[in-house]
Amino acid sequence: MMVPVLPASAQGILIVGDSISAAFGLEIDQGWTALLEERLEEEGADIEVMNASVSGDTTAGGLARLPRLLEQHNPDLVVIELGGNDGLRGMPPTNMQQNLSAMVEQSQEAGAEVLLLGMRIPPNYGVRYTQAFEQVFAEISEQYDVALLPFVLDGIAGEADQSLMQSDGIHPTAEGQPLILDNVWPYIETWLQR
């Protein structure tokens, strides 16, 4: 088992997300963020996971909430899982990029590292929009030198077997939550080892 050596000042991981990280339709302890806390404990890492995710939140909502969250929690790592609701509402990708960029800047200015969890939207929004939407995450990752998981629901959403998704086709089931953690964990592990 890996036992990370952390500075005495380690405060924890702040997750700012939407319904994907708020365990929509499930018990909160079934969500990937609760499972992350369990895995950190199993790995011997005494790190608090602060889940400030709100179902239905957009990048604008996350940006509005972030300054207080940073002040309140003083995290070492900020995980941003937002953008899906911007896309589903057809908001301009440029607005989403401005909001996410501001969130990354504020987090970095507060002394936190950032992990960006990318999202994809259904193809019925058109090729141009879906490509522009996805490109936002890649551009922010490159511009600010932050880690990016390109698609947080990789292997869960958009698969032929829809058993890992709730009936709305948008939110993962309890069985899908460990797979989200499996997607995110390598990035958390890399952060722990730094």
Side-chain angles (χ1 to χ4, degrees), residues 43-60:
E43 295 289 339
D46 184 21
I47 299 175
E48 186 181 0
V49 176
M50 299 152 288
N51 187 7
S53 301
V54 176
S55 289
D57 209 2
T58 61
T59 57

Side-chain angles (χ1 to χ4, degrees), residues 153-166:
L153 298 180
D154 190 32
I156 303 160
E159 301 297 312
D161 174 11
Q162 285 292 295
S163 65
L164 298 173
M165 298 298 287
Q166 295 181 38

Side-chain angles (χ1 to χ4, degrees), residues 66-88:
L66 186 62
R68 185 161 185 272
L69 291 169
L70 290 171
E71 187 180 341
Q72 185 179 354
H73 298 292
N74 188 26
D76 290 298
L77 177 66
V78 176
V79 179
I80 302 173
E81 182 275 305
L82 288 168
N85 289 311
D86 297 59
L88 293 175

Side-chain angles (χ1 to χ4, degrees), residues 20-164:
I20 300 300
S21 296
F24 178 86
L26 307 171
E27 296 296 324
I28 194 70
D29 63 353
Q30 294 178 303
W32 77 266
T33 59
L35 299 176
L36 169 61
E37 197 157 27
E38 288 175 18
R39 186 170 297 181
L40 287 166
E41 286 174 18
E42 288 167 9
E43 295 289 339
D46 184 21
I47 299 175
E48 186 181 0
V49 176
M50 299 152 288
N51 187 7
S53 301
V54 176
S55 289
D57 209 2
T58 61
T59 57
L63 176 58
R65 294 188 301 117
L66 186 62
R68 185 161 185 272
L69 291 169
L70 290 171
E71 187 180 341
Q72 185 179 354
H73 298 292
N74 188 26
D76 290 298
L77 177 66
V78 176
V79 179
I80 302 173
E81 182 275 305
L82 288 168
N85 289 311
D86 297 59
L88 293 175
R89 294 173 190 179
M91 294 178 179
T94 51
N95 291 9
M96 184 175 88
Q97 186 157 359
Q98 288 169 354
N99 293 335
L100 288 173
S101 294
M103 290 184 75
V104 170
E105 287 176 14
Q106 288 179 20
S107 299
Q108 290 177 333
E109 285 166 11
E113 289 190 52
V114 176
L115 168 58
L116 195 56
L117 305 184
M119 183 52 71
R120 292 183 186 150
I121 53 172
N124 58 305
Y125 283 78
V127 172
R128 208 167 101 200
Y129 185 81
T130 54
Q131 285 180 346
F133 177 88
E134 285 181 40
Q135 192 60 31
V136 164
F137 299 101
E139 287 176 6
I140 290 172
S141 171
E142 189 172 332
Q143 181 180 352
Y144 295 98
D145 191 27
V146 298
L148 168 65
L149 169 57
F151 183 35
V152 69
L153 298 180
D154 190 32
I156 303 160
E159 301 297 312
D161 174 11
Q162 285 292 295
S163 65
L164 298 173

